[in-house]
Amino acid sequence: MPDPSTPAREASPRANLVVGVLALAGITVSLMQTLVIPLIPALPGLLHASAADATWAITATLLAGAVATPTMGRLGDMYGKRRMLLVSLGALVAGSAIGALSDSLVPMVVGRTLQGLAAGVIPLGISIMRDELPVERLGSATALMSASLGVGGALGLPAAALLAENADWHVLFWTAAGLGLVVTALVVALVPESPVRTGGRFDVLGAVGLSVALVCLLLAISKGADWGWGSAATLGLLAAAVVVLALWGRWELRTPTPLVDLRTSARRQVLLTNIASAVFGFAMFAMSLVLPQLLQLPAATGYGLGKSMLVVGLVMAPSGLVMMALAPVSARITATRGPKTTLMLGAVVVAAGYALGIVLMSETWHLVVVSSVIGAGVGLAYGAMPSLVMGAVPVSETAAANSLNTLMRSIGTSVSSATAGLVLARLTIHFGPVELPSQNGFRLVLGMGSAAALIALGVAAFLPRRTPAPASPSPEPAVVGR
């Protein structure tokens, strides 16, 4: 139970400011996912690189985020969540500034890597909320913070497209740097440092092992289509990921202060929530892969709508607003019926949204409706996941557990991108001298998104009906500066 004597936990205007600042930080970091989307067709020319090499500006962010998320979560539990939040935001600002000064591939990849290192902000923010907010505020606040992963991506796309079409592309990165500085200043001024720390020694070998395994896995997934799924490079990386993960798991079970407590992660509630998160990550990202292409393909194909990137952003933006609006609804359902019910309801809504998209794709407003319905389901589900995770782990492991949950979502989105890319590359039509994804290909990907949501529904059905209390007691607060 929270300590009523702690001023930071009072339901006060300051608590509202903490929630607002942390949510803004989450949205800012998630903007990095869509920052370069409007630039993708022009990246080879802008960076004086081949098309294959230019994709490293996207892949580097993905890999850095996967490495940083569990590492920053554990460091936050040990040495201070606010401190690690500021380190993450500092990496975002530095990466954005380097990107803004770049005109070639290498500095751009460096900048995008630093931006990716900020991915731990959302799980760190959720963990700070658990430490600082009163119980009655925690559900809606963490739901909003969790949904910010989708909100920033959806709202950032029209803004990035508008800037890319009307200004020099470097302005995108200067804007990101400026926003990062504003958020950093707000965190310094308004977010307190939690006294809840575990101390101890950081599991360096565990961090290196997990990082190597994740890089091998995600690199194989993201580059498999370019290299060939049966190529030696792809198969070698996948095999290396399996071997390193096995060795890493053995080490984590034996070390006294593991990076990831696998025994806690194996608890039914945590394990099933993480599996559902990965499947939901797959389902959520399918929308981002299909709808923009449908909107931009030439109308002469018979199913493309021939719209600009700016229109794409405006069509996708309502889904982010719906996610934000559904955060308090998700918290209310969780408070009355339990997070399991909320997660299952979100899965049903997402499945229905994708099923709707299979038949409604011929008008712009059709896709607005489809993206909004899917966004509503994602908002409900993402709002429930932190409650499920935090209800099954001790306070001392909050940041690490939330980071692992966020990582599972990221792995799901990576698998979704690779799978959808493979489907759309195989199911094509000839349009003049080029091949384009066919309408049946898009429908198949939408069907896969619906099926993934139903799989998440099945996984969630095995969760406990009510959130159990954490199995181990909270640690004594550490002395700041320990």
Side-chain angles (χ1 to χ4, degrees), residues 3 44 54 67 88 204 206 235 258 329 338 345 412 416 443:
D3 183 359
V67 169
S88 298
V204 176
L235 295 177
V329 176
L345 179 60
S416 175
R443 284 176 170 154

Side-chain angles (χ1 to χ4, degrees), residues 238-435:
L238 290 174
V242 172
V243 172
V244 174
L245 275 176
L247 294 173
W248 171 81
R250 185 175 181 182
W251 167 261
E252 293 297 281
L253 290 171
R254 293 186 173 190
T255 187
T257 55
L259 177 74
V260 177
D261 189 335
L262 294 181
R263 293 179 178 86
T264 299
S265 301
R267 291 175 189 164
R268 176 181 168 191
Q269 182 160 313
V270 180
L271 177 63
L272 292 179
T273 301
N274 285 333
I275 293 172
S277 297
V279 180
F280 245 103
F282 184 103
M284 175 187 169
F285 204 62
M287 170 181 70
S288 302
L289 295 166
V290 170
L291 270 56
Q293 293 192 66
L294 279 172
L295 285 161
Q296 292 182 90
L297 283 176
T301 59
Y303 52 89
L305 300 177
K307 304 299 182 181
S308 67
M309 177 57 74
L310 179 58
V311 173
V312 171
L314 294 174
V315 168
M316 301 293 286
S319 67
L321 297 175
V322 170
M323 287 182 205
M324 188 180 296
L326 265 289
V329 176
S330 175
R332 196 171 302 120
I333 297 171
T334 294
T336 56
R337 303 299 297 273
K340 171 183 177 177
T341 300
T342 313
L343 181 57
M344 293 178 71
L345 179 60
V348 170
V349 174
V350 170
Y354 277 112
L356 197 63
I358 295 173
V359 295
L360 289 182
M361 58 169 61
S362 58
E363 300 287 346
T364 301
W365 69 268
H366 289 175
L367 301 186
V368 173
V369 171
V370 169
S371 66
S372 297
V373 172
I374 295 171
V378 170
L380 289 170
Y382 274 17
M385 288 172 187
S387 296
L388 286 163
V389 171
M390 291 189 296
V393 302
V395 173
S396 59
E397 298 176 19
T398 301
N402 278 313
S403 295
L404 181 60
N405 183 254
T406 301
L407 175 63
M408 295 303 291
R409 297 190 217 176
S410 299
I411 291 174
T413 60
S414 300
V415 174
S416 175
S417 177
T419 305
L422 183 61
V423 169
L424 297 178
R426 294 292 179 87
L427 298 177
T428 60
I429 63 167
H430 290 283
F431 185 74
V434 299
E435 286 190 348

